[in-house]
Amino acid sequence: MGDSGRVGGSFDPIETAGRDELARLQLERLRRTLHHACEHVPHYRAKFEAAGVTPDDLHTLADLARFPFTTKQDLRANYPFGMFAVPMHSIVRIHASSGTTGKPTVVGYTRHDLDVWADVMARGLRAAGVRSGDLVHNALGYGLFTGGLGVHDGAARLGAAVVPMSGGQTEKQVQLICDFQPDVIAVTPSYLLTIADEFERQGLDPRDTNLRLAILGAEPFTREMCREIESRFDLDAIECYGLSEVIGPGVAMECGRAKDGPHVWEDHFYPEIIDPATGTVLPDGEFGELVFTSLTKEALPVIRYRTRDLTRLLPGTSRPAMRRLAKIAGRSDDMLIIRGVNVFPGQIEELVLKAPSLSPHYQLEVSRPRHLDELAVRVEPSAAFAAAGAAAWSRAARELEHHIKSYVGVTARVAVVAPGTIERSAGKARRVIDSRPRSS
């Protein structure tokens, strides 16, 4: 689909709507979604009854706060298809989370849902700067993970050509990027850094590629990592936000011109920020946990789904009616409490990336050997610093220890290890190894 007929450089006319018009549409769609969920999902019907609410109690958008939350545990408790609101003969695709602990969360899609997903992803890619006729190298995983197929269908809907590379085969990634000369790469930020390392291992400069945009998502990353990627590849790095339970990638996307945080496509996904401890809805601009209610999904409507992502809702800029997400500070369930101090992996990442002697490859190890928590940080030297020797590596480690103590407030043991020591991932990086005994 080309650019002709689009409004003001956007993909959909709703992107240029006023806030009042958008709010009316949200209320209409929210009422329909609540009725759909209550009538067709026994879990929602029981939770609404327990909370003493019915879909008819929604008169304003603020009334949504009266309805109960949905959590990942709710989806797991109804594994595999208990949260579906349509009969199985209407389901045309099923995805599932990685399920690293316990049962995976299963999500289903009707044909309508896939069309909506392709449209919002195309809208996001258009906002990011992708155009009809571009070549998109898709290094996000295909399969049960929603990333690869979500971006693929959106790029195709926009009119771009897609190289469905998926993750892994890093040497071949480099070969195809050099040979096919794609304009855009869709990838996790940690894996794009691994691709950059492979370019350099082959004696190639990643800045010499034809890539002008990197669509980054599927894992938290700091602005420092974003700048590192932009510097190593000489491109613009754009943040894509999404999660499988809500639809997949494409829930929100950063505008390529402004690069000031992802705009939420609020005509399909209604956002709230809550206090993660009390569940109280917070005003725009306040920091808390992001919650989403789907407005147009058929197969798997989600009502007030707790994402565990910690952020703020900010006023829209390039899409004025659509609010933006501030940089995700971390996840409430990823937060480490070490000797009474709240620690997010992103805080350590910022300090690592500010050190020119260190590479972006790091891992945190938390243990409790003698009744007290201990934090160890393993990090690799930068390419320019790799030959500096053990004494220089030790000085870099002590300097990072000092910064972690000063800025984060915890004591850490830092080890600078040989290049290539820390495990690489073709998908989401494994940043934290927590070996502390679990309480019963």
Side-chain angles (χ1 to χ4, degrees), residues 17-237:
R19 188 71 201 173
D20 290 343
E21 179 185 351
L22 178 61
R24 286 192 295 272
L25 180 63
Q26 289 173 324
L27 185 59
E28 172 191 328
R29 288 179 168 179
L30 186 53
R31 286 171 174 156
R32 190 161 59 236
T33 291
L34 291 173
H35 278 283
H36 180 57
C38 187
E39 290 169 10
H40 298 288
V41 184
H43 173 84
Y44 280 125
R45 188 159 55 249
K47 289 196 78 168
F48 290 2
E49 289 175 359
V53 292
T54 74
D56 292 330
D57 291 325
L58 187 92
H59 304 291
T60 68
L61 291 174
D63 290 333
L64 183 60
R66 301 176 58 188
F67 289 78
F69 294 111
T70 305
T71 66
K72 188 180 287 285
Q73 183 54 40
D74 290 325
L75 273 68
R76 287 177 172 156
N78 288 277
Y79 176 90
F81 307 135
M83 297 291 281
F84 287 6
V86 298
M88 287 303 296
H89 65 75
S90 297
I91 299 290
V92 297
R93 189 188 295 174
I94 291 173
H95 284 281
S97 71
S98 54
T100 52
T101 58
K103 295 177 180 177
T105 55
V106 178
V107 294
Y109 302 81
T110 64
R111 172 52 55 193
H112 164 82
D113 293 336
L114 291 183
D115 284 339
V116 168
W117 191 11
D119 278 344
V120 294
M121 192 68 232
R123 181 195 298 184
L125 292 171
R126 180 71 172 77
V130 184
R131 294 293 180 264
S132 175
D134 279 345
L135 183 60
V136 178
H137 182 100
N138 192 359
L140 292 168
Y142 283 68
L144 289 177
F145 172 57
T146 55
L149 284 168
V151 170
H152 185 120
D153 290 347
R157 180 66 54 91
L158 182 61
V162 184
V163 180
M165 181 62 205
S166 192
Q169 297 182 275
T170 309
E171 291 185 20
K172 191 168 187 178
Q173 302 269 4
V174 170
Q175 177 192 344
L176 296 188
I177 291 170
C178 291
D179 292 349
F180 291 3
Q181 298 186 35
D183 307 281
V184 181
I185 184 168
V187 64
T188 63
S190 59
Y191 189 49
L192 187 51
L193 290 172
T194 299
I195 292 173
D197 290 344
E198 179 60 25
F199 266 94
E200 291 162 0
R201 189 192 70 79
Q202 295 184 27
L204 302 171
D205 187 348
R207 295 174 61 87
D208 290 339
T209 73
N210 194 54
L211 292 170
R212 73 170 194 275
L213 287 175
I215 307 298
L216 305 178
E219 64 185 8
F221 60 100
T222 61
R223 297 201 181 279
E224 283 74 17
M225 180 170 282
C226 201
R227 285 193 285 269
E228 168 86 6
I229 287 169
E230 290 182 327
S231 174
R232 291 183 74 178
F233 277 94
D234 189 25
L235 49 63
D236 286 317

Side-chain angles (χ1 to χ4, degrees), residues 306-322:
R306 296 189 63 159
T307 69
R308 300 295 179 183
D309 289 330
L310 299 172
T311 184
R312 295 179 294 142
L313 283 173
L314 304 174
T317 52
S318 60
R319 271 71 179 164
M322 311 276 187

Side-chain angles (χ1 to χ4, degrees), residues 75 83-85 106-108 113 244-246 294 297-302:
L75 273 68
M83 297 291 281
F84 287 6
V106 178
V107 294
D113 293 336
S244 298
E245 297 84 353
V246 176
S294 64
K297 286 176 68 182
E298 292 180 338
L300 186 77
V302 288

Side-chain angles (χ1 to χ4, degrees), residues 251-269:
V251 174
M253 182 74 82
E254 198 164 30
C255 174
R257 291 181 180 176
K259 294 175 66 175
D260 56 0
H263 283 76
V264 178
W265 303 133
E266 288 198 55
D267 53 321
H268 294 284
F269 316 106

